[in-house]
Amino acid sequence: NSVDMLLNSLMTPNADVQASVADALAKLMKKGNTQDRIEDILDQLMKSFWKAIRRRQDEETGIATLKKYGVVTRLEEACASGTSANKEGSLLAIQSLCTRLGLLFEPYVIVLLPSLLKSFGDGSENVRKAASETVGVIMSKLSAHGVKLVLPAVLTAFNDNSWRTKQASINMLGSMSHLAPKQLASALPKVVPKLIEAFADTHPKVKASAQGALDEISSVIRNPEIHDISPVLLKALTDPASNTLPALEALIATEFLHAIDAPSLALIVPILHRGLRDRAATTKRYGALITGNICTMINDPRDFVPYLPTLMPDLKSSLLDPIPDVRSIAAKALGSLTRGLGEDSLPDLRPWLIEQLRMDGLSSAERSGAAQGLTEVLIASGSTIVDSVMLDDILPLASHPSPSTREGVPPALGQGFTVMLDATLPALINGLSDENENVREVAMRAGRVLIKSHGKIHFDKILPILQSGMGDTDYRIRLSSLMLLGDLLSMIGGTTVLRTDGDTQDDIRRAERAQAQLTLVLGIQTRNRVLSDVYLARSDNAIAVRQAAVQVWKTVVSVTARTLRQILQVLVGRVVTDLASGDPEKTEVAGKCLGDIVGKLGDSVLPEIIPVLRNSLYDGDSNTKRGVCVGLSEVIGSSTKDQILRFIDIIVKVVQDALCDDEPGVREMAASSFQNLYNLVGNRAMDEVVPALMVALESTDDDIRRDRALNGLTGILSIRSKELLPYIIPRLIQQPITENHARALSSIATVTSTTLYFHFRTIVPSLLEFLAFGSGDDKECVAAVRDCVRSVFGNADEAGVNMLISEVSSNCTSDKPEARRESCWMLETVIEARKDAKDFYEQIPVIIRELIQRFNDDNMDVVKAANKAFAALSKYVPAEELAQHIEYMRNLINSMVSDARRRKGGVGDGEFFLPGFNIPKGLEPLLPIYQRGILYGTPTIREASAAGLGEVINLTSSKYLAGPLIIKMTGPLLRIVGDRNPANVKISILSTLGLILVKGGPALRAFVPQFQTTFVKALSDPSRQVRLEAITALGLLMPLSTRVDPLIKELVTGSLGKGSTGADGTGGVVVVQTATLEALAVVLEKGGNKAKLPESVPSALQASATLILHSDDSVREAAAKVMGASCNILGPEKTTEIVQEEILSTSADDSSDIRHGKACAIRRIFSAEVSKKLDESVSSDLRNLAIQYMKDEKIAVQEAGIVAVGAAVGRSQDPTAALRSVEPDILPLMGDLKQRLETHQSVARCLCLALEFADVESRVAFLGMTLLNASLKLAMSGSQRVQFAFNDVLWLALSVSDGQGGLDEYSATAMFEDSRQMKSLFSKVLVKIKSVTILDQ
């Protein structure tokens, strides 16, 4: 009853009454019918919010009740989808729960948050008001963890496309002003940027909500200064384009007496962010300045940490700004942040700054900003960090390969690094020598800052480093060190470095005062050392260094001569040290300085300098000696003649000893001294030195003395060779040449290349004469002379090479073999000595001519020397260069061989072997040349190379071709013959391959398949001559071939037109068939007996039987050859069978082509040895058929029949009777001069075959006087080809190869006139014939 009474009291419309009742109910509701009451209360809650607002609190019996009775679920449903009254009641209930439960209700806030957001967009004003109040209560009760839960959901809602949802999110963000201060500080860095972003929205209500939210946040600002200027700040947030600069100016103008709180930071940081990103330099400066100072105006620096991700990128960008003020303020801001927040809050800042110094692609301004920033950060980090970073990170960058990285180092040194002076100065000096101008400028600027800051106090540390820099090898370091030294000296002396000539009285007085002050501050010894370095720099090789040294010198020195005398001892010591340093540049500079001293002080200084130089020469090492010579040259060059003559004895002795020194460098420098001495005192220098050296050169018992004298002469000749060589050369080449003279001439040649070649006409003959005739048994002397020749030839000037080769080659034709031998050796030496210079290539034809002509020399020593020299030519001159001279070599060889054959005692047309090729490895020097021409030359060179190789093979005995040499020749030819070469090239290659087969023999057996493939492929070539060469080569291949069956099969297939065809259609097929048949005939003739398969030769015979009936006469003639060769292998039985079937089976309907083919077949069968074994009946039938064809009306058949008759007559059992039986038919043909030329040739072939095959005692008697006289008549008249044909007939008939017996037999019975004509023809023509050619055509 009490509970019911209290519940009814909640209806009282008084807040205090309702609150009191709710408190009482909270204690009573722990007992009783809670679930039913909650249901009733919730129902009433949705109907009447006045009762619900307090009844809702009645059920506050504990947090567990919410979950147990599903209260939150009911509230969420009502808030999301109920009526306006339902929504308002649920929101007020949520507000009461949050108030009563506090942190305990936080877990349910995230569940109810979506419904709360929707309530902000409700159409009812009461609902929206309830939502705003509820959210304010929730925010005031949230813990830090609660903020982390709620804020992401609210920010997500902000990104919703619906403006109502976005507006609700903004309202909730504004309500976060009710958060506790700690939670507010953590939330605002995320809240305020979103609110600012909302001002860019297109919907006015969203903008209005954002404005209200910002006003709500600004209302909780506790800092009075910020509160006063908050309107200006809010304007900058809402309209940044126009109000950012005024806001920043307001912040700068404000004097802060109170700490800046979190809401204030939330308003300020976006303005700073905008200011740092602005284009205006003023805005960026203000933004950086405020950002750097802000850490000093907040209680807890950690409040600023959340804003670092926003501001740091902007500060970094400002640090790299092109405007120096912006960079400087940004750098200081980074230092302030590092100092205020600590490096732990900025862990990536220092590595980023160092990386900017290393990075390529940055401008000098950007790198300068990074260096300034790093400086401020390091200073803010403390001295320990400074030392570590300087040594480990910054100073190593001074040697970085990138110039842009090196440029970033010096500015980072700053003025606060006094303790790092020793470590930073070397890096500074290195920067002064950098190849990049920007790096040098920055380094010089930093150096001057260091001098200005620390020069007076720490000059003892700075001076040694600058003095060391003045002695550096890099002129930039010398120049920069000198300029910095000038700044230091002028600062110590109380003056400034002169930029004028310094000749005015004021300049001199200032220099006098500065010199006195330097002496006072530095001390006399230090001053003398420093001034010595400056004076030495006045002789530097770099003009910029010299000019700077003069300015520095005039700045601190008033009277040069007086000061020089004061520092002379130190200066000369420094000069001698540099002369002995071994550094060519230092030595040269020291020498110039010494000359300058002599020029200024004259006689007063020479007595002091000359003894010092002499003693240093005798006591010092090689570097010292070289330096002394350089110094002596400068002294001589700076002195007058009278001054030198006073010390001439000492100077000559010093120069002579230096010229004779063992060190080449010393002698070279001494030669320069001698040149200066000669220019000054003339021939007296020569008269004082050269005679003594020549006398020492003749010394035979003191090798050291002789060698030193030679060194001296060589040194003098290196500069005065034109004057001395005419005096020295005749003495050195006087016969007999001694070993000493040879070595002397060898050394002289190394230094007189530009003048020695003028004396080749006396030197070369003398050396040649000694090597050929005067050497005797003194091997050491000969070796010395040969070394001398190599030196003279190797060191000759390019202009003298042509003269040298001309002089040597002129002795190649000497009538004395010793001279010819040594001339060949000298040509070899020229080639070896000039192989790198390659300046004798123009004379290669001359060298080739002389060497090839020596290949046929009567003396084998000369031949071998020529061959060796040619080997050197082939080795050291590229083959492509020599290949250009192949045609010239062919002509030389052919001309020489022709002369050798025709001269008295020559072999005539017999076999001739060139001596130069017929020695071990005689052909090897030529092979690379021919191979290069064959493989890579132009078509013309390829043809000449292949033909030339064949010619030299022909001139070489098989004994010297066996083994690897012949194989080396074969490969390139086989490789190139298959390419698309012109016909003349292929002809040359095939011809040479044929010669190789003849000469090579069994050594080429491994190449048989390649040879065979190459030759068979050539049978289908369009060129007839190529096909003929391939046929000939196949015949030469047969002795080496062991497997002929595949070849026969391939040729048979090709002959039938089933293989490769020509490129020109039917004509191409015919010529290929003809060539294939010709080749098949040759293969059967020379290798047919090697056939192992039973069907190989019969298939060839069958093909020939078919093709003798072919429509083309050349195919028929070739097929007849195959038939004859096949029959000869298969024997008489198969021959008889084929004769009966294919030849004797005639018909009246046989065409002229058939008759012609049969006539050709008869000729070839009778030409074969098998015809001797045929039955007489078969032979008789064939003979009669041939006689029948001889009378045929068709000219082609008639001519083939005539030739067949000759073969048949020769193979008859009684050749004489057979000939007499056909003589009446032959004589009319011979007597008729109007007959066709081909008919007369056929008659000549007929008679030649009869003479060759007839087994008779006397060919004269066999042929008979009638036929002989008719043949003589045709041989003496008619066309040339007819004459040649009957010359062959008479050559066989008279047996010319056996002597004059046949002629005598004929003359004994012939008429006088006929006998006279025959004798005349015999002596003029027949005796010159070597063999019958008519049968080969």
Side-chain angles (χ1 to χ4, degrees), residues 941-956:
I941 292 179
R942 287 185 177 184
E943 178 187 4
S945 301
L949 183 60
E951 290 163 1
V952 298
I953 290 173
N954 209 23
L955 296 172
T956 308

Side-chain angles (χ1 to χ4, degrees), residues 857-1101:
D857 201 276
D858 298 332
N859 188 286
M860 283 307 297
D861 291 337
V862 177
V863 172
K864 292 178 180 178
N867 189 274
K868 187 179 178 184
F870 207 100
L873 183 70
S874 178
K875 178 180 179 181
Y876 296 119
V877 178
E880 58 267 24
E881 178 70 28
L882 294 176
Q884 306 299 320
H885 305 284
I886 287 179
E887 187 64 37
Y888 178 64
M889 291 166 56
R890 283 187 65 198
N891 294 336
L892 283 174
I893 293 173
N894 290 335
S895 174
M896 182 175 58
V897 171
S898 177
D899 291 344
R901 288 181 183 278
R902 303 298 174 229
R903 69 188 178 191
K904 186 176 181 181
V907 298
D909 293 330
E911 190 175 45
F912 173 76
F913 295 135
L914 191 64
F917 298 155
N918 289 271
I919 57 177
K921 299 182 179 181
L923 267 185
E924 281 199 357
L926 279 74
L927 274 187
I929 306 172
Y930 286 122
Q931 287 177 343
R932 178 73 190 191
I934 290 170
L935 291 174
Y936 305 108
T938 63
T940 303
I941 292 179
R942 287 185 177 184
E943 178 187 4
S945 301
L949 183 60
E951 290 163 1
V952 298
I953 290 173
N954 209 23
L955 296 172
T956 308
S957 170
S958 300
K959 172 184 176 182
Y960 297 102
L961 289 172
L965 187 62
I966 198 73
I967 295 174
K968 192 184 295 184
M969 299 178 189
T970 305
L973 291 171
L974 288 174
R975 192 155 59 247
I976 200 67
V977 71
D979 292 349
R980 294 184 176 180
N981 291 307
N984 52 354
V985 176
K986 292 183 179 180
I987 292 168
S988 299
I989 294 174
L990 290 172
S991 175
T992 301
L993 286 173
L995 280 173
I996 289 175
L997 284 171
V998 173
K999 295 279 188 176
L1004 298 173
R1005 198 177 299 278
F1007 287 93
V1008 167
Q1010 291 96 313
F1011 275 113
Q1012 185 172 299
T1013 302
T1014 299
F1015 297 154
V1016 171
K1017 183 178 180 181
L1019 293 175
S1020 59
D1021 195 87
S1023 170
R1024 178 175 179 274
Q1025 191 60 38
V1026 172
R1027 298 194 299 272
L1028 292 177
E1029 291 291 346
I1031 293 168
T1032 304
L1034 272 174
L1036 297 173
L1037 182 64
M1038 285 304 100
L1040 301 178
S1041 181
T1042 56
R1043 297 177 66 251
V1044 298
D1045 296 284
L1047 177 60
I1048 293 174
K1049 182 178 179 181
E1050 183 178 1
L1051 292 175
V1052 168
T1053 303
S1055 66
L1056 293 173
K1058 299 177 182 179
S1060 302
T1061 60
D1064 53 352
T1066 304
V1069 174
V1070 169
V1071 297
V1072 171
Q1073 280 184 285
T1074 304
T1076 307
L1077 286 168
E1078 295 279 359
L1080 180 58
V1082 171
V1083 168
L1084 289 172
E1085 179 183 350
K1086 298 187 177 182
N1089 292 324
K1090 297 180 181 179
K1092 298 178 181 178
L1093 297 178
E1095 68 274 11
S1096 295
V1097 179
S1099 66
L1101 180 60

Side-chain angles (χ1 to χ4, degrees), residues 255-316:
E255 183 178 354
F256 286 91
L257 301 177
H258 301 84
I260 298 176
D261 56 356
S264 301
L265 276 178
L267 295 182
I268 293 173
V269 168
I271 298 173
L272 297 178
H273 175 59
R274 170 72 184 186
L276 289 170
R277 296 167 66 89
D278 200 86
R279 291 184 179 181
T282 303
T283 307
K284 285 189 281 189
R285 282 201 303 270
Y286 288 168
L289 181 61
I290 296 170
T291 303
N293 293 329
I294 206 164
C295 284
T296 63
M297 295 183 289
I298 54 178
N299 284 331
D300 189 354
R302 289 177 293 179
D303 290 344
F304 192 66
V305 171
Y307 298 101
L308 289 177
T310 302
L311 294 177
M312 284 307 295
D314 301 328
L315 272 177
K316 291 178 180 178

Side-chain angles (χ1 to χ4, degrees), residues 41 70 175 182 267 373 375 446 460 466 667 707 978 1070 1228 1326 1331:
I41 291 171
S175 299
K182 187 175 181 180
L267 295 182
T375 301
D460 55 331
L466 295 180
R667 297 198 298 272
D707 292 341
V1070 169
L1326 298 183
S1331 61

Side-chain angles (χ1 to χ4, degrees), residues 682-932:
N683 289 329
R684 182 170 177 180
M686 201 84 72
D687 297 338
E688 292 282 347
V689 177
V690 175
L693 295 178
M694 289 299 295
V695 171
L697 186 65
E698 299 294 336
S699 176
T700 58
D701 54 350
D702 191 344
D703 293 342
I704 297 177
R705 183 187 176 198
R706 185 176 61 247
D707 292 341
R708 287 178 59 84
L710 180 58
N711 291 340
L713 280 176
T714 303
I716 297 174
L717 284 169
S718 65
I719 56 173
R720 309 301 304 181
S721 59
K722 188 174 182 180
E723 294 85 352
L724 276 182
L725 281 179
Y727 172 76
I728 294 177
I729 291 297
R731 289 166 174 76
L732 295 181
I733 61 175
Q734 185 176 359
Q735 298 291 337
I737 300 175
T738 64
E739 184 178 350
N740 290 341
H741 286 177
R743 290 177 178 174
L745 183 57
S746 178
S747 297
I748 288 171
T750 61
V751 297
T752 58
S753 59
T754 57
T755 53
L756 186 65
Y757 67 88
F758 293 113
H759 303 272
F760 279 166
R761 297 193 184 280
T762 56
I763 294 175
V764 172
S766 297
L767 295 175
L768 181 67
E769 179 184 355
F770 177 81
L771 291 174
F773 310 108
S775 59
D777 297 329
D778 192 348
K779 295 182 179 180
E780 292 184 359
C781 186
V782 171
V785 172
R786 292 194 184 278
D787 290 340
C788 174
V789 171
R790 295 186 184 97
S791 178
V792 170
F793 290 4
N795 291 287
D797 190 75
E798 182 178 352
V801 172
N802 292 348
M803 186 186 301
L804 173 63
I805 293 176
S806 174
E807 188 62 36
V808 173
S809 60
S810 66
N811 291 280
C812 289
T813 56
S814 171
D815 57 348
K816 298 177 181 179
E818 294 85 359
R820 297 197 299 273
R821 180 195 66 211
E822 294 303 329
S823 297
C824 291
W825 177 81
M826 283 189 171
L827 285 177
E828 177 189 356
T829 304
V830 170
I831 296 167
E832 291 179 349
R834 313 298 301 184
K835 63 179 183 293
D836 295 328
K838 301 179 181 179
D839 49 12
F840 63 94
Y841 285 9
E842 292 183 0
Q843 296 295 315
I844 285 179
V846 176
I847 297 174
I848 290 176
R849 181 193 67 204
E850 298 301 334
L851 294 180
I852 287 182
Q853 288 179 352
R854 303 285 77 72
F855 283 177
N856 194 35
D857 201 276
D858 298 332
N859 188 286
M860 283 307 297
D861 291 337
V862 177
V863 172
K864 292 178 180 178
N867 189 274
K868 187 179 178 184
F870 207 100
L873 183 70
S874 178
K875 178 180 179 181
Y876 296 119
V877 178
E880 58 267 24
E881 178 70 28
L882 294 176
Q884 306 299 320
H885 305 284
I886 287 179
E887 187 64 37
Y888 178 64
M889 291 166 56
R890 283 187 65 198
N891 294 336
L892 283 174
I893 293 173
N894 290 335
S895 174
M896 182 175 58
V897 171
S898 177
D899 291 344
R901 288 181 183 278
R902 303 298 174 229
R903 69 188 178 191
K904 186 176 181 181
V907 298
D909 293 330
E911 190 175 45
F912 173 76
F913 295 135
L914 191 64
F917 298 155
N918 289 271
I919 57 177
K921 299 182 179 181
L923 267 185
E924 281 199 357
L926 279 74
L927 274 187
I929 306 172
Y930 286 122
Q931 287 177 343
R932 178 73 190 191

Side-chain angles (χ1 to χ4, degrees), residues 1099-1112:
S1099 66
L1101 180 60
Q1102 188 61 43
S1104 67
T1106 302
L1107 292 173
I1108 61 171
L1109 310 179
H1110 197 272
S1111 59
D1112 186 83

